[in-house]
Amino acid sequence: MQKVKEFFACKGIGFYFSLACLLAVVVGLGCFCSLVNVSQEATEAPATVIGLAVAAMVLCLAAAVYDFKRIFSLAAFVLVSFMFFNFIGGRVSYLAYYFSGDILGTGLSPYFIVSAIFFVISLICAICAVCFKQKN
């Protein structure tokens, strides 16, 4: 128990942002997988988004354990950015249809909204993980 206390005692704010980024990516990825299962049309490559999310999760965990000169947190930020913009880029036609009038009255998918929110949160947390120190 003493080692656990020592481990958390020396961690800085960036450590908690890395963990928050990891959690936000996990939740966003879960909603994204549900979105892909119920979607009729999507132009993104789900395998790309999932692969980038998994790689970002590994790098967030690596940054939380040992962030060597902020390389892991910076790489996690880059992957989270690519993941987010690949997700949004694949849904551009869906968003264009919704904002141009939504003639069928389908509305925005709750899975899309929740995954977009959590991907934005993960992007913000990844930025903060780079800006703040992982260790005190």
Side-chain angles (χ1 to χ4, degrees), residues 6-27:
E6 290 173 6
F7 178 78
F8 285 108
C10 70
K11 295 300 178 181
I13 296 172
F15 169 78
Y16 296 105
F17 278 119
S18 290
L19 291 182
C21 180
L22 174 70
L23 183 65
V25 170
V26 167
V27 174

Side-chain angles (χ1 to χ4, degrees), residues 31-32 34-40 87 91 94-95 98 102 106-117:
C31 292
F32 174 73
S34 298
L35 175 66
V36 169
N37 287 336
V38 299
S39 245
Q40 285 133 9
F87 166 71
R91 294 286 164 171
Y94 173 70
L95 290 171
Y98 176 74
D102 191 17
T106 56
L108 284 175
S109 167
Y111 293 125
F112 172 78
I113 294 169
V114 173
S115 57
I117 288 170

Side-chain angles (χ1 to χ4, degrees), residues 36-71:
V36 169
N37 287 336
V38 299
S39 245
Q40 285 133 9
E41 180 188 342
T43 55
E44 85 263 341
T48 305
V49 174
I50 292 170
L52 288 169
V54 169
M57 287 187 288
V58 169
L59 285 172
C60 284
L61 191 59
V65 173
Y66 180 70
D67 194 15
F68 180 71
K69 296 185 180 181
R70 297 188 181 183
I71 292 174

